[in-house]
Amino acid sequence: MEEEGFILPKNVFRDFFSQLIKLAGFGLGGMFVLSGKKAGKKAASHIKEILGDNLSLEDVKECIISYFEESKQCKMVEFNISENSVNFKAQHSVFAEGIESKKPTCLPLGGTIAGMLEEFLGGSWEPKETQCIAQGFSECIFEVKRK
């Protein structure tokens, strides 16, 4: 047991397992989006602590673009925002470059933006990646809409 196992408190295992069961119904893509949303909400919350709550749509746009470019997750080449939707194109996504896939792979990126929008603008937001670098395209294209 000392060589091959480890001791784990029951409450830690129960918490982990219950989250795993909840997420299993979403499928792998849903888990990537949900994880991204949680990260995005935390990032936006931190930004709001620094800048305050009264951000314009243009401020939100600049915060999101800066977050992704400064963290080197991707380069935004186009970003359009309104009260109910965001459309953007990204290049150099860490979730796609060097990967070949029939399906989009940048779901955490879209999830992070959805989470940031939920924190900045309220409501529930859902991302959809319509084109991905991993599929052979030169950029990833997303639509994020308010539910």
Side-chain angles (χ1 to χ4, degrees):
M1 188 66 177
E2 287 181 12
E3 301 272 338
E4 300 295 323
F6 62 96
I7 296 172
L8 183 68
K10 287 181 183 179
N11 65 334
V12 172
F13 178 77
R14 276 190 293 248
D15 289 347
F16 168 78
F17 190 72
S18 70
Q19 290 299 314
L20 183 62
I21 295 299
K22 288 177 188 174
L23 295 175
F26 287 105
L28 191 56
M31 286 191 275
F32 285 141
V33 170
L34 185 59
S35 297
K37 275 189 172 189
K38 288 185 178 196
K41 285 181 182 183
K42 286 182 181 181
S45 177
H46 179 71
I47 292 168
K48 283 172 45 177
E49 285 178 17
I50 296 167
L51 300 178
D53 286 333
N54 297 326
L55 300 175
S56 69
L57 280 179
E58 189 62 27
D59 293 336
V60 169
K61 173 183 174 177
E62 292 304 315
C63 287
I64 291 172
I65 291 171
S66 294
Y67 170 80
F68 280 99
E69 291 187 356
E70 292 299 319
S71 67
K72 309 278 191 251
Q73 291 183 46
C74 68
K75 177 176 177 25
M76 297 290 180
V77 293
E78 188 176 312
F79 196 97
N80 300 303
I81 188 170
S82 72
E83 289 290 335
N84 296 309
S85 69
V86 168
N87 296 299
F88 69 93
K89 295 179 182 180
Q91 294 178 333
H92 308 296
S93 169
V94 297
F95 301 106
E97 284 196 332
I99 297 171
E100 291 181 20
S101 175
K102 292 180 182 179
K103 294 183 178 183
T105 60
C106 298
L107 301 172
L109 192 150
T112 301
I113 290 181
M116 294 179 90
L117 292 167
E118 288 177 5
E119 183 67 26
F120 284 133
L121 304 177
S124 179
W125 293 75
E126 288 301 318
K128 180 179 181 184
E129 186 174 12
T130 60
Q131 175 179 304
C132 186
I133 294 167
Q135 294 172 297
F137 296 101
S138 62
E139 56 199 14
C140 299
I141 299 177
F142 283 85
E143 298 171 349
V144 188
K145 294 183 179 180
R146 185 188 295 266
K147 282 180 137 184

